């Protein structure tokens, strides 16, 4: 029988079969919820504005960077990525806050749905941490085969880049999928955004076109 715990963050259920996770994830009434599943443990949360607002900033940032540098890309947003395991309570599933395909773009170009049994995961996965840290979820991303993960902490503005190596993440000081970007450079860009994201979008276009200078 599944047990439920609740702290200042997601509701956590233990002992959940993978098939039950799929039923809950596919239920129409749960579309607005985010779920993380890792070998029988299921976390459920409802995103807040404090969480969603920075996520949209990352979308704008990356869209402007790839446009300025002519990098082929598609955004997979908060698509549910999941993959079953060898037992009834084995498997992994999660929605990123936002995600992007770069190197594997051609492999999913004609897809309407993504199945990790046959399709590659996104090349870049971004998590925005509001009430809880995503550090403990790194094994989920690794199990799904995500090559690069960014973790952004809303309260402190800290940004961490990690690259998957030998089934674990190693901190890196420069993105491998977008090598012109480092955590300090992204933090600088985020700091230029006020309440008006339209104005920031225009700033991002000029900033990217001008070579990402930090003396503006």
């Amino acid at each position: 029988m599944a047990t439920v715990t609740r702290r200042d963050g997601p509701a956590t259920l233990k002992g959940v079969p993978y098939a039950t996770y799929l039923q809950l994830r596919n239920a129409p009434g749960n579309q607005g919820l985010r779920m993380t599943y890792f070998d029988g443990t299921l976390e459920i949360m409802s995103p807040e504005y404090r969480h969603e607002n920075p996520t949209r900033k990352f979308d704008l940032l990356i869209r402007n960077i790839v446009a300025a540098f002519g990098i082929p890309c598609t955004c997979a947003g908060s698509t549910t990525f999941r993959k079953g395991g060898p037992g009834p309570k084995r498997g992994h599933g999660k929605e990123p806050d936002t995600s992007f395909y770069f190197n594997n773009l051609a492999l999913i170009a004609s897809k309407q749905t993504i199945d990790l049994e046959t399709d590659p995961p996104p090349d870049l996965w971004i998590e925005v941490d509001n009430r809880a840290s995503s550090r403990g979820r790194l094994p989920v991303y690794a199990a799904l085969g995500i090559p690069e993960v960014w973790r952004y902490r809303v309260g402190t503005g800290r940004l961490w880049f990690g690259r998957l190596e030998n089934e674990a993440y190693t901190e890196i000081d420069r993105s491998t999928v977008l090598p012109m970007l480092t955590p300090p450079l992204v933090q600088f860009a985020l700091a230029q955004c006020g309440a008006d994201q339209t104005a920031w979008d225009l700033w991002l276009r000029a900033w990217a076109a001008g070579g990402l200078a930090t003396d503006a």
Side-chain angles (χ1 to χ4, degrees):
M1 178 180 295
T3 59
V4 183
T5 60
R6 182 66 185 267
R7 300 180 180 88
D8 184 19
T12 302
L13 294 84
K14 303 283 188 178
V16 179
Y18 182 72
T20 301
Y21 157 66
L22 294 182
Q23 291 176 346
L24 292 170
R25 180 65 285 173
N26 295 335
N30 292 334
Q31 289 181 357
L33 299 175
R34 300 286 178 85
M35 298 185 184
T36 301
Y37 184 84
F38 187 84
D39 290 345
T41 298
L42 176 62
E43 293 183 350
I44 303 174
M45 66 171 290
S46 178
E48 300 176 350
Y49 174 76
R50 178 179 169 86
H51 172 276
E52 292 297 282
N53 182 263
T55 299
R56 301 288 75 79
K57 293 178 183 178
F58 277 101
D59 278 342
L60 281 175
L61 172 69
I62 291 180
R63 289 176 187 276
N64 277 284
I65 293 296
V66 298
F69 286 84
I71 300 172
C73 168
T74 193
C75 179
S78 55
T79 297
T80 297
F81 295 95
R82 57 198 181 190
K83 191 173 185 179
K89 294 181 182 177
R90 299 293 299 276
H92 315 94
K94 196 177 186 317
E95 296 80 37
D97 290 318
T98 191
S99 59
F100 299 85
Y101 280 90
F102 299 99
N103 301 328
N104 289 319
L105 180 59
L107 298 178
I108 57 94
S110 62
K111 301 288 185 174
Q112 298 299 314
T113 60
I114 302 294
D115 182 354
L116 293 190
E117 297 294 341
T118 55
D119 300 320
D123 298 293
L124 174 61
W125 181 295
I126 298 176
E127 286 289 335
V128 174
D129 294 344
N130 178 16
R131 290 182 296 176
S133 172
S134 60
R135 181 177 181 181
R137 301 189 186 108
L138 289 176
V140 181
Y141 315 145
L144 295 174
I146 311 300
E148 182 170 325
V149 172
W150 296 4
R151 296 171 47 239
Y152 177 72
R153 189 70 178 172
V154 173
T156 63
R158 186 176 187 276
L159 179 62
W160 179 92
F161 287 5
R163 179 71 182 175
L164 184 61
E165 297 178 357
N166 300 319
E167 301 183 354
Y169 287 95
T170 300
E171 185 173 8
I172 54 177
D173 59 11
R174 181 174 297 274
S175 172
T176 56
V177 292
L178 294 171
M180 72 290 297
L181 295 180
T182 63
L185 197 58
V186 173
Q187 288 170 310
F188 167 79
L190 293 173
Q192 310 310 307
C193 184
D196 184 357
Q197 288 190 6
T198 300
W200 187 59
D201 188 20
L202 294 173
W203 180 89
L204 283 172
R205 295 180 195 181
W207 179 65
L212 311 181
T214 58
D215 55 357

